[in-house]
Amino acid sequence: MPSPISEDLRVRILALRRLNYSCSMTVKALVKEGYSLAKSTVSRVWKSVGIEACKKSPAKIEKRKPRTPVIRTPTKIRKIADLCSSDDPIPQRSIAARVFVSLHTVTTIVHQDLGAKVRKKTKVHYLTEKAKKQRKDRARHFHELISNNLEYILTMDEAILPSDFKNGKTDFVYLSKKNVEDGRVVPPSVRSPGFPLQRMFAAGFSYRGQTRLYAIPRKAKVNADVFIQMVLRPMFDFDVPNLYGTDAHKVIFHMDCAPSHTAKKTVAWLRSRGIKFITKPEWLANSPNVSSMDFFTNGYLKKKLSHRTYSTEAGMNKAAKDEYKKIPLGMFRNSLDSWPARVLAIYKATGSQAPNY
């Protein structure tokens, strides 16, 4: 245990320390004054002083580090908030250049200070003023029509499916060290051709279930004759009686305004069979996403097909029919139940796009 020192010696050591004396200089000065001590004694006294004394002592003062400039100031946050408030904001990289901060700072301000999240806009089609007015004028009547007859509406549409999906192939592989030693080669990811082979399918569904999926020959021109013989006739001879039975006469047929749908021959055939259908003046013009087939079924079917593996056109036909048959009835009904709300949203938007319904 070190021997205790006198209070007088302790005071002298601290006094010399405040004069910025080093440990060696303190020992030499005190030896001249008649004291006998070692460097360890001086060091022990210094350590016993504590933090507060260290701050007051010039011997412990260090050069202060330059203060990091404050970047996320209220002014810069306000400027970035103004630039982000537009419906068509500029990219974050451009914001950084305009406000004179880094891209990282802009990202931090947007997500932490503003609490904002980046959301992609819903892609919609272009509408002229004439089309907007027409949509608004027809929306009210169409809303009442489908709301009062939702159970008996059979909606139908076509979908074009490419016949060369990835067939289960991915864009990556897992390569271990052993694979590299064994000489495994990473296979290339082949892009789809610019104009892939395509096949058109037609189908419909109602509150009672879905029809069969009808494949249109690849080189066939879809006119009124093809539409009647390959879609309408089998649909109303087989699917509608199978779904509705004795209530088949209550079915109201819905289709979009494609040329083969609105052709005089098609309209005459529907009327000759006594089939109720929604006419062209009743349907909302330029509204492809309002139809329940476009809103749900076509996209869902394409997503399911992208996970199937097939190598021939016949295999694709079989896969498409299998996947369409597997769609649960509840999903069809949910799509139909939301149909009136989508039409009403268009009416409230005065015929403009209403992507948030």
Side-chain angles (χ1 to χ4, degrees), residues 3-16 18 30 33 35-37 41 44-45 48-49:
S3 58
I5 62 174
S6 64
E7 186 63 25
D8 182 51
L9 178 58
R10 178 184 176 84
V11 171
R12 289 295 298 143
I13 291 174
L14 294 178
L16 293 174
R18 290 188 178 90
L30 293 177
E33 294 180 11
Y35 292 101
S36 177
L37 73 165
T41 304
R44 188 169 71 252
V45 172
S48 66
V49 170

Side-chain angles (χ1 to χ4, degrees), residues 283-303:
W283 170 241
L284 276 63
N286 298 295
S287 305
N289 295 331
V290 179
S291 169
S292 294
M293 287 292 294
D294 287 322
F295 181 75
F296 159 68
T297 312
N298 291 344
Y300 183 82
L301 179 60
K302 290 179 180 179
K303 181 179 178 180

